[in-house]
Amino acid sequence: MDLRENEQFVQLAPASDAALRFIGRIRAPWTTREDCPRQGRIDGPECRIELDPDWHDALDGLEAYQTIEVLYWLDQSRRDLIRQSPRSDGKTVGTFALRSPARPNPIGTSSVRLLRIADGVLHVQGLDCVDGTPLIDLKPDRCAFTPKAPGQPGDSQTA
């Protein structure tokens, strides 16, 4: 186990409380974690999100959004760190105070620029993950999205 100074981990039983269905793979120019940027840049290199054929029809309407949210499984990440020492400053903080890929449930999320969609492949900018990373989900950018269903009581804000 590679631990940096002051880092802590916890012994975990095998995870068994949830199941995910990967819906595709991300194709990125980075082949190792060390090559990846720490955070994706909206003007970064073009990447491809290749959806499994079963999900191609689920893309209908997504092209209306300039930015989308991509959720992916950071399959090369540790899952047992509770305190981490980032390389940049050496200070030790809790995992939940970081955007580190080492998390109990290593879900990555990026807001990306959607360039185009063709034949079940999304061309985007703004990702920060290794080539071949499993895709969990895609969503319209929450700031640009208008709900399509009727409102409900919790939607309105009162002072």
Short mmCIF file of all heavy atoms in Angstrom, two decimals, residues 56-121:
data_model
loop_
_atom_site.label_atom_id
_atom_site.label_comp_id
_atom_site.label_asym_id
_atom_site.label_seq_id
_atom_site.Cartn_x
_atom_site.Cartn_y
_atom_site.Cartn_z
N HIS A 56 -28.10 3.99 -27.34
CA HIS A 56 -28.03 5.04 -28.37
C HIS A 56 -29.31 5.88 -28.42
O HIS A 56 -29.23 7.11 -28.53
CB HIS A 56 -27.74 4.43 -29.74
CG HIS A 56 -26.32 3.97 -29.89
ND1 HIS A 56 -25.80 3.63 -31.11
CD2 HIS A 56 -25.31 3.78 -28.99
CE1 HIS A 56 -24.53 3.26 -30.96
NE2 HIS A 56 -24.23 3.34 -29.67
N ASP A 57 -30.47 5.27 -28.34
CA ASP A 57 -31.73 6.03 -28.40
C ASP A 57 -31.90 6.95 -27.19
O ASP A 57 -32.65 7.93 -27.26
CB ASP A 57 -32.93 5.10 -28.52
CG ASP A 57 -33.05 4.47 -29.91
OD1 ASP A 57 -32.40 4.97 -30.85
OD2 ASP A 57 -33.79 3.48 -30.04
N ALA A 58 -31.21 6.66 -26.10
CA ALA A 58 -31.32 7.51 -24.91
C ALA A 58 -30.64 8.86 -25.11
O ALA A 58 -30.82 9.77 -24.29
CB ALA A 58 -30.70 6.79 -23.70
N LEU A 59 -29.89 9.02 -26.19
CA LEU A 59 -29.21 10.28 -26.48
C LEU A 59 -30.15 11.31 -27.13
O LEU A 59 -29.79 12.48 -27.23
CB LEU A 59 -28.02 10.04 -27.41
CG LEU A 59 -26.87 9.25 -26.81
CD1 LEU A 59 -25.86 8.87 -27.89
CD2 LEU A 59 -26.21 10.06 -25.70
N ASP A 60 -31.33 10.89 -27.56
CA ASP A 60 -32.26 11.77 -28.26
C ASP A 60 -32.55 13.01 -27.43
O ASP A 60 -33.01 12.92 -26.30
CB ASP A 60 -33.56 11.02 -28.57
CG ASP A 60 -34.51 11.83 -29.41
OD1 ASP A 60 -34.04 12.65 -30.23
OD2 ASP A 60 -35.73 11.66 -29.24
N GLY A 61 -32.25 14.19 -27.97
CA GLY A 61 -32.50 15.46 -27.30
C GLY A 61 -31.29 16.03 -26.58
O GLY A 61 -31.25 17.22 -26.25
N LEU A 62 -30.29 15.22 -26.31
CA LEU A 62 -29.11 15.69 -25.58
C LEU A 62 -28.31 16.71 -26.39
O LEU A 62 -27.67 17.60 -25.82
CB LEU A 62 -28.21 14.51 -25.18
CG LEU A 62 -27.07 14.84 -24.21
CD1 LEU A 62 -27.61 15.35 -22.87
CD2 LEU A 62 -26.20 13.62 -24.00
N GLU A 63 -28.41 16.64 -27.71
CA GLU A 63 -27.66 17.56 -28.56
C GLU A 63 -28.10 19.02 -28.37
O GLU A 63 -27.40 19.95 -28.78
CB GLU A 63 -27.78 17.16 -30.04
CG GLU A 63 -29.14 17.40 -30.67
CD GLU A 63 -30.20 16.36 -30.31
OE1 GLU A 63 -29.85 15.32 -29.71
OE2 GLU A 63 -31.38 16.59 -30.64
N ALA A 64 -29.22 19.25 -27.71
CA ALA A 64 -29.71 20.61 -27.46
C ALA A 64 -28.89 21.35 -26.40
O ALA A 64 -29.05 22.56 -26.24
CB ALA A 64 -31.17 20.57 -27.03
N TYR A 65 -28.01 20.64 -25.71
CA TYR A 65 -27.24 21.24 -24.62
C TYR A 65 -25.79 21.45 -25.02
O TYR A 65 -25.16 20.55 -25.58
CB TYR A 65 -27.33 20.36 -23.37
CG TYR A 65 -28.75 20.24 -22.89
CD1 TYR A 65 -29.55 19.19 -23.32
CD2 TYR A 65 -29.29 21.19 -22.03
CE1 TYR A 65 -30.87 19.10 -22.91
CE2 TYR A 65 -30.60 21.10 -21.62
CZ TYR A 65 -31.39 20.05 -22.05
OH TYR A 65 -32.69 19.98 -21.66
N GLN A 66 -25.26 22.62 -24.70
CA GLN A 66 -23.85 22.91 -24.99
C GLN A 66 -22.93 22.24 -23.98
O GLN A 66 -21.79 21.88 -24.31
CB GLN A 66 -23.60 24.41 -24.98
CG GLN A 66 -24.27 25.14 -26.11
CD GLN A 66 -23.99 26.64 -26.05
OE1 GLN A 66 -23.43 27.15 -25.10
NE2 GLN A 66 -24.37 27.33 -27.11
N THR A 67 -23.39 22.09 -22.75
CA THR A 67 -22.60 21.41 -21.72
C THR A 67 -23.44 20.31 -21.10
O THR A 67 -24.66 20.45 -20.94
CB THR A 67 -22.10 22.38 -20.62
OG1 THR A 67 -23.22 23.04 -20.03
CG2 THR A 67 -21.13 23.40 -21.18
N ILE A 68 -22.77 19.22 -20.77
CA ILE A 68 -23.43 18.09 -20.13
C ILE A 68 -22.58 17.62 -18.96
O ILE A 68 -21.38 17.90 -18.89
CB ILE A 68 -23.69 16.92 -21.11
CG1 ILE A 68 -22.38 16.38 -21.67
CG2 ILE A 68 -24.65 17.36 -22.21
CD1 ILE A 68 -22.53 15.11 -22.49
N GLU A 69 -23.20 16.89 -18.06
CA GLU A 69 -22.49 16.30 -16.93
C GLU A 69 -22.23 14.83 -17.24
O GLU A 69 -23.14 14.11 -17.66
CB GLU A 69 -23.32 16.44 -15.66
CG GLU A 69 -22.59 16.01 -14.42
CD GLU A 69 -23.38 16.28 -13.15
OE1 GLU A 69 -24.52 16.78 -13.22
OE2 GLU A 69 -22.84 15.97 -12.08
N VAL A 70 -21.00 14.41 -17.05
CA VAL A 70 -20.60 13.03 -17.30
C VAL A 70 -20.21 12.40 -15.97
O VAL A 70 -19.40 12.96 -15.23
CB VAL A 70 -19.40 12.98 -18.29
CG1 VAL A 70 -19.00 11.54 -18.56
CG2 VAL A 70 -19.74 13.70 -19.58
N LEU A 71 -20.80 11.26 -15.66
CA LEU A 71 -20.45 10.52 -14.44
C LEU A 71 -19.77 9.22 -14.86
O LEU A 71 -20.25 8.52 -15.75
CB LEU A 71 -21.70 10.22 -13.62
CG LEU A 71 -22.31 11.44 -12.94
CD1 LEU A 71 -23.35 12.07 -13.84
CD2 LEU A 71 -22.90 11.06 -11.62
N TYR A 72 -18.65 8.93 -14.22
CA TYR A 72 -17.86 7.77 -14.61
C TYR A 72 -17.25 7.11 -13.39
O TYR A 72 -17.16 7.70 -12.32
CB TYR A 72 -16.79 8.15 -15.64
CG TYR A 72 -16.07 9.45 -15.38
CD1 TYR A 72 -14.84 9.47 -14.75
CD2 TYR A 72 -16.63 10.66 -15.78
CE1 TYR A 72 -14.18 10.67 -14.51
CE2 TYR A 72 -15.98 11.86 -15.55
CZ TYR A 72 -14.76 11.86 -14.91
OH TYR A 72 -14.10 13.03 -14.67
N TRP A 73 -16.86 5.84 -13.55
CA TRP A 73 -16.33 5.03 -12.46
C TRP A 73 -14.80 5.03 -12.55
O TRP A 73 -14.23 4.56 -13.54
CB TRP A 73 -16.86 3.60 -12.57
CG TRP A 73 -16.54 2.78 -11.38
CD1 TRP A 73 -15.59 1.80 -11.29
CD2 TRP A 73 -17.17 2.82 -10.11
NE1 TRP A 73 -15.58 1.25 -10.04
CE2 TRP A 73 -16.56 1.87 -9.29
CE3 TRP A 73 -18.21 3.60 -9.58
CZ2 TRP A 73 -16.95 1.65 -7.96
CZ3 TRP A 73 -18.59 3.38 -8.26
CH2 TRP A 73 -17.96 2.41 -7.48
N LEU A 74 -14.16 5.56 -11.53
CA LEU A 74 -12.70 5.67 -11.49
C LEU A 74 -12.13 4.32 -11.05
O LEU A 74 -11.73 4.13 -9.90
CB LEU A 74 -12.30 6.82 -10.57
CG LEU A 74 -12.86 8.17 -11.03
CD1 LEU A 74 -12.76 9.21 -9.94
CD2 LEU A 74 -12.17 8.63 -12.29
N ASP A 75 -12.11 3.38 -11.98
CA ASP A 75 -11.84 1.98 -11.68
C ASP A 75 -10.41 1.69 -11.24
O ASP A 75 -10.14 0.59 -10.74
CB ASP A 75 -12.22 1.10 -12.88
CG ASP A 75 -11.47 1.46 -14.15
OD1 ASP A 75 -11.11 2.63 -14.33
OD2 ASP A 75 -11.28 0.56 -14.98
N GLN A 76 -9.51 2.63 -11.36
CA GLN A 76 -8.13 2.40 -10.92
C GLN A 76 -7.83 3.05 -9.57
O GLN A 76 -6.68 3.11 -9.15
CB GLN A 76 -7.16 2.94 -11.98
CG GLN A 76 -7.28 2.23 -13.31
CD GLN A 76 -6.28 2.75 -14.32
OE1 GLN A 76 -5.23 3.28 -13.97
NE2 GLN A 76 -6.59 2.58 -15.58
N SER A 77 -8.86 3.53 -8.90
CA SER A 77 -8.66 4.30 -7.66
C SER A 77 -8.79 3.45 -6.40
O SER A 77 -9.55 2.49 -6.36
CB SER A 77 -9.69 5.42 -7.58
OG SER A 77 -9.50 6.32 -8.64
N ARG A 78 -8.06 3.87 -5.38
CA ARG A 78 -8.20 3.28 -4.04
C ARG A 78 -9.57 3.66 -3.51
O ARG A 78 -10.11 4.71 -3.83
CB ARG A 78 -7.15 3.85 -3.09
CG ARG A 78 -5.74 3.42 -3.38
CD ARG A 78 -4.83 3.99 -2.33
NE ARG A 78 -5.10 3.34 -1.06
CZ ARG A 78 -4.16 2.93 -0.22
NH1 ARG A 78 -2.91 3.13 -0.48
NH2 ARG A 78 -4.48 2.32 0.89
N ARG A 79 -10.07 2.82 -2.60
CA ARG A 79 -11.38 3.08 -2.00
C ARG A 79 -11.34 3.12 -0.49
O ARG A 79 -12.38 3.20 0.16
CB ARG A 79 -12.37 2.02 -2.47
CG ARG A 79 -12.54 2.00 -3.98
CD ARG A 79 -13.53 0.98 -4.42
NE ARG A 79 -14.88 1.38 -4.01
CZ ARG A 79 -15.96 0.68 -4.29
NH1 ARG A 79 -15.88 -0.43 -4.95
NH2 ARG A 79 -17.14 1.10 -3.87
N ASP A 80 -10.14 3.06 0.10
CA ASP A 80 -10.04 2.90 1.55
C ASP A 80 -9.43 4.09 2.29
O ASP A 80 -9.28 4.05 3.50
CB ASP A 80 -9.22 1.65 1.87
CG ASP A 80 -7.80 1.70 1.32
OD1 ASP A 80 -7.49 2.60 0.52
OD2 ASP A 80 -7.01 0.82 1.70
N LEU A 81 -9.08 5.17 1.60
CA LEU A 81 -8.45 6.31 2.28
C LEU A 81 -9.50 7.19 2.94
O LEU A 81 -10.49 7.57 2.32
CB LEU A 81 -7.64 7.15 1.28
CG LEU A 81 -6.39 6.49 0.70
CD1 LEU A 81 -5.69 7.45 -0.26
CD2 LEU A 81 -5.43 6.05 1.79
N ILE A 82 -9.25 7.53 4.21
CA ILE A 82 -10.14 8.45 4.92
C ILE A 82 -9.49 9.81 5.13
O ILE A 82 -10.16 10.80 5.30
CB ILE A 82 -10.62 7.86 6.26
CG1 ILE A 82 -9.45 7.46 7.14
CG2 ILE A 82 -11.54 6.68 6.00
CD1 ILE A 82 -9.85 6.99 8.53
N ARG A 83 -8.16 9.85 5.12
CA ARG A 83 -7.40 11.10 5.18
C ARG A 83 -6.33 11.01 4.10
O ARG A 83 -5.70 9.97 3.93
CB ARG A 83 -6.77 11.32 6.55
CG ARG A 83 -7.83 11.55 7.63
CD ARG A 83 -7.27 11.81 9.02
NE ARG A 83 -6.24 12.83 9.11
CZ ARG A 83 -6.45 14.14 9.09
NH1 ARG A 83 -7.67 14.61 8.97
NH2 ARG A 83 -5.45 14.99 9.21
N GLN A 84 -6.13 12.12 3.37
CA GLN A 84 -5.18 12.12 2.26
C GLN A 84 -4.26 13.32 2.33
O GLN A 84 -4.62 14.37 2.86
CB GLN A 84 -5.93 12.14 0.92
CG GLN A 84 -6.82 10.94 0.71
CD GLN A 84 -7.50 10.98 -0.62
OE1 GLN A 84 -6.89 11.30 -1.64
NE2 GLN A 84 -8.78 10.64 -0.66
N SER A 85 -3.07 13.14 1.75
CA SER A 85 -2.08 14.21 1.66
C SER A 85 -1.82 14.50 0.18
O SER A 85 -1.00 13.84 -0.45
CB SER A 85 -0.77 13.79 2.33
OG SER A 85 -0.97 13.53 3.70
N PRO A 86 -2.52 15.48 -0.38
CA PRO A 86 -2.31 15.80 -1.79
C PRO A 86 -0.86 16.18 -2.07
O PRO A 86 -0.20 16.80 -1.24
CB PRO A 86 -3.23 17.00 -2.02
CG PRO A 86 -4.23 16.94 -0.92
CD PRO A 86 -3.51 16.32 0.25
N ARG A 87 -0.38 15.80 -3.23
CA ARG A 87 1.02 16.08 -3.59
C ARG A 87 1.34 17.57 -3.64
O ARG A 87 2.45 17.98 -3.41
CB ARG A 87 1.32 15.48 -4.96
CG ARG A 87 1.37 13.99 -4.92
CD ARG A 87 1.72 13.45 -6.28
NE ARG A 87 1.43 12.02 -6.25
CZ ARG A 87 1.34 11.26 -7.29
NH1 ARG A 87 1.52 11.76 -8.48
NH2 ARG A 87 1.08 9.99 -7.17
N SER A 88 0.35 18.38 -3.96
CA SER A 88 0.62 19.79 -4.18
C SER A 88 1.07 20.55 -2.94
O SER A 88 1.90 21.44 -3.03
CB SER A 88 -0.60 20.48 -4.78
OG SER A 88 -1.70 20.36 -3.89
N ASP A 89 0.54 20.22 -1.75
CA ASP A 89 0.90 21.01 -0.57
C ASP A 89 1.30 20.18 0.64
O ASP A 89 1.77 20.73 1.63
CB ASP A 89 -0.22 21.98 -0.20
CG ASP A 89 -1.50 21.28 0.21
OD1 ASP A 89 -1.49 20.07 0.47
OD2 ASP A 89 -2.53 21.96 0.27
N GLY A 90 1.11 18.87 0.62
CA GLY A 90 1.53 18.02 1.73
C GLY A 90 0.65 18.07 2.96
O GLY A 90 0.90 17.36 3.92
N LYS A 91 -0.38 18.90 2.98
CA LYS A 91 -1.29 18.95 4.12
C LYS A 91 -2.22 17.75 4.05
O LYS A 91 -2.64 17.32 2.99
CB LYS A 91 -2.10 20.24 4.11
CG LYS A 91 -1.26 21.48 4.31
CD LYS A 91 -2.12 22.71 4.24
CE LYS A 91 -1.25 23.95 4.34
NZ LYS A 91 -2.04 25.16 4.13
N THR A 92 -2.56 17.22 5.22
CA THR A 92 -3.45 16.07 5.29
C THR A 92 -4.86 16.54 5.64
O THR A 92 -5.04 17.27 6.61
CB THR A 92 -2.94 15.07 6.34
OG1 THR A 92 -1.60 14.70 6.00
CG2 THR A 92 -3.81 13.83 6.38
N VAL A 93 -5.83 16.11 4.83
CA VAL A 93 -7.23 16.46 5.06
C VAL A 93 -8.09 15.23 4.80
O VAL A 93 -7.65 14.24 4.22
CB VAL A 93 -7.69 17.63 4.17
CG1 VAL A 93 -6.92 18.91 4.48
CG2 VAL A 93 -7.58 17.29 2.71
N GLY A 94 -9.35 15.32 5.22
CA GLY A 94 -10.29 14.23 4.99
C GLY A 94 -10.62 14.07 3.52
O GLY A 94 -10.66 15.04 2.76
N THR A 95 -10.88 12.84 3.12
CA THR A 95 -11.20 12.52 1.73
C THR A 95 -12.34 13.37 1.18
O THR A 95 -12.30 13.82 0.04
CB THR A 95 -11.53 11.03 1.60
OG1 THR A 95 -10.34 10.29 1.81
CG2 THR A 95 -12.12 10.67 0.25
N PHE A 96 -13.35 13.65 2.00
CA PHE A 96 -14.51 14.39 1.51
C PHE A 96 -14.23 15.87 1.31
O PHE A 96 -15.06 16.60 0.77
CB PHE A 96 -15.71 14.18 2.42
CG PHE A 96 -16.13 12.73 2.52
CD1 PHE A 96 -16.48 12.19 3.74
CD2 PHE A 96 -16.15 11.92 1.40
CE1 PHE A 96 -16.87 10.86 3.85
CE2 PHE A 96 -16.54 10.58 1.49
CZ PHE A 96 -16.90 10.06 2.72
N ALA A 97 -13.05 16.35 1.73
CA ALA A 97 -12.66 17.74 1.50
C ALA A 97 -11.84 17.88 0.21
O ALA A 97 -11.32 18.94 -0.07
CB ALA A 97 -11.85 18.25 2.69
N LEU A 98 -11.72 16.79 -0.55
CA LEU A 98 -10.92 16.77 -1.76
C LEU A 98 -11.74 16.31 -2.96
O LEU A 98 -12.76 15.64 -2.79
CB LEU A 98 -9.73 15.80 -1.60
CG LEU A 98 -8.72 16.14 -0.52
CD1 LEU A 98 -7.77 14.97 -0.32
CD2 LEU A 98 -7.95 17.39 -0.91
N ARG A 99 -11.25 16.60 -4.15
CA ARG A 99 -11.82 16.04 -5.38
C ARG A 99 -10.94 14.90 -5.89
O ARG A 99 -10.94 14.56 -7.06
CB ARG A 99 -12.00 17.12 -6.44
CG ARG A 99 -13.09 18.13 -6.06
CD ARG A 99 -13.48 19.00 -7.21
NE ARG A 99 -13.88 18.28 -8.40
CZ ARG A 99 -15.11 17.84 -8.66
NH1 ARG A 99 -16.08 18.05 -7.79
NH2 ARG A 99 -15.37 17.21 -9.79
N SER A 100 -10.20 14.29 -5.00
CA SER A 100 -9.31 13.18 -5.33
C SER A 100 -10.11 12.00 -5.90
O SER A 100 -11.25 11.77 -5.49
CB SER A 100 -8.60 12.74 -4.04
OG SER A 100 -8.04 11.46 -4.19
N PRO A 101 -9.51 11.22 -6.79
CA PRO A 101 -10.20 10.02 -7.29
C PRO A 101 -10.25 8.90 -6.24
O PRO A 101 -11.05 7.98 -6.37
CB PRO A 101 -9.36 9.59 -8.49
CG PRO A 101 -8.02 10.20 -8.27
CD PRO A 101 -8.25 11.45 -7.48
N ALA A 102 -9.43 8.97 -5.19
CA ALA A 102 -9.45 7.97 -4.12
C ALA A 102 -10.61 8.30 -3.19
O ALA A 102 -10.54 9.24 -2.41
CB ALA A 102 -8.12 7.95 -3.38
N ARG A 103 -11.69 7.50 -3.28
CA ARG A 103 -12.91 7.77 -2.52
C ARG A 103 -13.58 6.44 -2.18
O ARG A 103 -13.32 5.44 -2.84
CB ARG A 103 -13.91 8.60 -3.32
CG ARG A 103 -13.34 9.54 -4.33
CD ARG A 103 -14.34 10.54 -4.84
NE ARG A 103 -14.97 11.32 -3.81
CZ ARG A 103 -14.38 12.31 -3.13
NH1 ARG A 103 -13.14 12.62 -3.37
NH2 ARG A 103 -15.03 12.97 -2.21
N PRO A 104 -14.49 6.42 -1.22
CA PRO A 104 -15.19 5.16 -0.91
C PRO A 104 -15.92 4.61 -2.13
O PRO A 104 -15.93 3.41 -2.37
CB PRO A 104 -16.18 5.55 0.18
CG PRO A 104 -15.74 6.86 0.71
CD PRO A 104 -14.90 7.51 -0.35
N ASN A 105 -16.55 5.48 -2.88
CA ASN A 105 -17.21 5.13 -4.14
C ASN A 105 -16.62 6.05 -5.21
O ASN A 105 -17.03 7.20 -5.34
CB ASN A 105 -18.73 5.33 -4.05
CG ASN A 105 -19.33 4.35 -3.08
OD1 ASN A 105 -19.23 3.14 -3.26
ND2 ASN A 105 -19.94 4.86 -2.02
N PRO A 106 -15.65 5.56 -5.96
CA PRO A 106 -14.89 6.44 -6.86
C PRO A 106 -15.65 6.86 -8.11
O PRO A 106 -15.39 6.42 -9.22
CB PRO A 106 -13.66 5.60 -7.20
CG PRO A 106 -14.14 4.19 -7.10
CD PRO A 106 -15.16 4.19 -5.99
N ILE A 107 -16.62 7.74 -7.88
CA ILE A 107 -17.42 8.27 -8.98
C ILE A 107 -16.80 9.59 -9.40
O ILE A 107 -16.66 10.51 -8.58
CB ILE A 107 -18.88 8.47 -8.56
CG1 ILE A 107 -19.50 7.11 -8.20
CG2 ILE A 107 -19.68 9.16 -9.67
CD1 ILE A 107 -20.86 7.21 -7.57
N GLY A 108 -16.44 9.69 -10.66
CA GLY A 108 -15.93 10.93 -11.21
C GLY A 108 -17.06 11.68 -11.88
O GLY A 108 -18.01 11.07 -12.39
N THR A 109 -16.98 12.98 -11.86
CA THR A 109 -17.97 13.80 -12.53
C THR A 109 -17.28 14.98 -13.19
O THR A 109 -16.38 15.58 -12.60
CB THR A 109 -19.07 14.28 -11.56
OG1 THR A 109 -20.01 15.09 -12.26
CG2 THR A 109 -18.51 15.03 -10.38
N SER A 110 -17.67 15.27 -14.39
CA SER A 110 -17.11 16.41 -15.13
C SER A 110 -18.22 17.11 -15.88
O SER A 110 -19.11 16.46 -16.44
CB SER A 110 -16.06 15.96 -16.15
OG SER A 110 -14.90 15.50 -15.53
N SER A 111 -18.16 18.42 -15.88
CA SER A 111 -19.02 19.22 -16.75
C SER A 111 -18.22 19.45 -18.02
O SER A 111 -17.12 20.00 -17.97
CB SER A 111 -19.36 20.54 -16.07
OG SER A 111 -20.19 21.30 -16.89
N VAL A 112 -18.74 18.97 -19.14
CA VAL A 112 -17.98 19.00 -20.39
C VAL A 112 -18.72 19.76 -21.47
O VAL A 112 -19.94 19.90 -21.43
CB VAL A 112 -17.66 17.57 -20.89
CG1 VAL A 112 -16.87 16.79 -19.85
CG2 VAL A 112 -18.91 16.82 -21.30
N ARG A 113 -17.95 20.25 -22.44
CA ARG A 113 -18.53 20.88 -23.62
C ARG A 113 -18.89 19.78 -24.61
O ARG A 113 -18.05 18.96 -24.99
CB ARG A 113 -17.54 21.84 -24.25
CG ARG A 113 -18.07 22.48 -25.54
CD ARG A 113 -17.06 23.40 -26.18
NE ARG A 113 -16.88 24.57 -25.31
CZ ARG A 113 -15.71 25.18 -25.13
NH1 ARG A 113 -14.62 24.76 -25.72
NH2 ARG A 113 -15.64 26.22 -24.34
N LEU A 114 -20.14 19.75 -25.02
CA LEU A 114 -20.59 18.78 -26.01
C LEU A 114 -20.36 19.37 -27.40
O LEU A 114 -20.95 20.38 -27.77
CB LEU A 114 -22.08 18.47 -25.81
CG LEU A 114 -22.70 17.50 -26.81
CD1 LEU A 114 -22.00 16.15 -26.79
CD2 LEU A 114 -24.19 17.34 -26.51
N LEU A 115 -19.48 18.75 -28.15
CA LEU A 115 -19.14 19.22 -29.50
C LEU A 115 -20.10 18.67 -30.54
O LEU A 115 -20.58 19.40 -31.40
CB LEU A 115 -17.70 18.84 -29.85
CG LEU A 115 -16.63 19.35 -28.89
CD1 LEU A 115 -15.26 18.78 -29.24
CD2 LEU A 115 -16.60 20.87 -28.89
N ARG A 116 -20.38 17.36 -30.45
CA ARG A 116 -21.30 16.73 -31.40
C ARG A 116 -21.59 15.30 -30.94
O ARG A 116 -20.85 14.73 -30.14
CB ARG A 116 -20.75 16.73 -32.82
CG ARG A 116 -19.50 15.90 -33.03
CD ARG A 116 -18.88 16.13 -34.42
NE ARG A 116 -17.61 15.43 -34.54
CZ ARG A 116 -16.46 15.79 -34.00
NH1 ARG A 116 -16.39 16.88 -33.26
NH2 ARG A 116 -15.36 15.09 -34.18
N ILE A 117 -22.65 14.74 -31.51
CA ILE A 117 -23.02 13.35 -31.27
C ILE A 117 -23.19 12.70 -32.63
O ILE A 117 -23.88 13.24 -33.49
CB ILE A 117 -24.34 13.24 -30.48
CG1 ILE A 117 -24.24 13.95 -29.13
CG2 ILE A 117 -24.73 11.77 -30.29
CD1 ILE A 117 -25.55 14.04 -28.37
N ALA A 118 -22.55 11.56 -32.83
CA ALA A 118 -22.68 10.83 -34.09
C ALA A 118 -22.59 9.33 -33.83
O ALA A 118 -21.62 8.86 -33.24
CB ALA A 118 -21.59 11.26 -35.06
N ASP A 119 -23.60 8.59 -34.24
CA ASP A 119 -23.60 7.13 -34.16
C ASP A 119 -23.30 6.61 -32.75
O ASP A 119 -22.50 5.70 -32.58
CB ASP A 119 -22.62 6.54 -35.16
CG ASP A 119 -22.94 6.92 -36.59
OD1 ASP A 119 -24.14 6.90 -36.94
OD2 ASP A 119 -22.02 7.25 -37.35
N GLY A 120 -23.92 7.21 -31.74
CA GLY A 120 -23.74 6.74 -30.37
C GLY A 120 -22.43 7.16 -29.74
O GLY A 120 -22.07 6.67 -28.67
N VAL A 121 -21.72 8.08 -30.36
CA VAL A 121 -20.45 8.58 -29.82
C VAL A 121 -20.58 10.07 -29.58
O VAL A 121 -20.96 10.83 -30.48
CB VAL A 121 -19.27 8.31 -30.78
CG1 VAL A 121 -17.98 8.90 -30.24
CG2 VAL A 121 -19.12 6.81 -31.03
#
